[in-house]
């Protein structure tokens, strides 16, 4: 019988990535007050948030033999964390801040299976070319920045803003697939074929 992965996320991008691999996935939105979680660095904060989300779903639904996967992505520039913009004005500010500079994307990930928890954080650096006011305005007007950390998604039209990256592309999208596969195999004794 095919197992399923529980995805502790409301992100359509994470769900799409797992389904792209042909996996049987059930998304469930975690109930975590993210403002109550603190850590010493943005990278550690992303990992702590992912752990909290995985633990909350695991406690709430008690998935029988189904691993829970959670992730959280934060954008960091000049020591400042950029979350999801509250409105179009904040999205413009974020994109101006990123324009012509290198920033870091941290994706924390946690997996719980049968009570065993493993977590990690992956970091990639992203360099934006210098953006014109018109490009920023067009992108903000599209509405695309409003549900994304740092006000952009590399897999959409904002991919044209990215001059170069260092690290795993899927870390930037929000779910490092290679690291997830290794965590499932090495810590949980599971293979992706178990969920197809």
């Amino acid at each position: 019988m095919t197992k399923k992965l529980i995805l502790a996320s409301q992100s359509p991008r994470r769900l799409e990535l797992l389904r792209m691999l042909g996996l049987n996935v059930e998304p469930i939105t975690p109930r975590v007050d993210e403002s109550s979680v603190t850590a010493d660095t943005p990278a550690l904060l992303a990992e702590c948030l992912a752990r909290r989300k995985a633990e909350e779903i695991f406690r709430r639904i008690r998935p029988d033999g189904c691993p829970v996967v959670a992730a959280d992505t934060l954008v960091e520039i000049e020591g400042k964390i950029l979350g999801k913009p509250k409105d179009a004005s904040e999205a413009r500010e974020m994109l101006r801040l990123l324009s012509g500079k290198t920033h870091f994307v941290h994706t924390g990930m946690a997996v719980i299976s049968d009570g065993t928890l493993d977590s990690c954080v992956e970091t990639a650096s992203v360099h934006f070319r210098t953006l014109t006011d018109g490009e920023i305005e067009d992108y903000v007007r599209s509405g695309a920045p409003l549900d994304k950390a740092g006000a952009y998604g590399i897999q959409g039209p904002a991919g044209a803003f990215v001059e170069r990256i260092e690290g795993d592309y899927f870390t930037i999208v929000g779910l490092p697939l290679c690291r997830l596969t290794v965590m499932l195999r090495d810590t949980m004794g599971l293979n992706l074929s178990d969920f197809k």
Side-chain angles (χ1 to χ4, degrees), residues 92-113:
R92 282 185 204 95
E93 288 176 29
M94 288 183 182
L95 291 165
R96 286 189 191 108
L97 182 60
L98 297 173
S99 176
K101 297 177 189 164
T102 297
H103 63 274
F104 300 96
V105 179
H106 308 288
T107 294
M109 192 165 51
V111 179
I112 301 181
S113 182

Side-chain angles (χ1 to χ4, degrees), residues 5-6 8 44 46-56 58 67-72 107-122 175-176 178-190:
L5 279 174
I6 305 295
L44 286 175
E47 184 175 0
C48 287
L49 286 165
R51 288 175 71 101
R52 285 275 182 95
K53 291 174 181 180
E55 290 168 337
E56 190 279 326
F58 188 81
V68 175
V69 175
D72 196 89
T107 294
M109 192 165 51
V111 179
I112 301 181
S113 182
D114 295 326
T116 300
L117 172 66
D118 191 18
S119 66
C120 67
V121 63
E122 291 284 308
L175 193 67
C178 180
R179 186 70 178 267
L180 174 61
T181 303
V182 171
M183 286 172 72
L184 286 168
R185 184 193 67 205
D186 292 353
T187 306
M188 309 298 168
L190 300 167

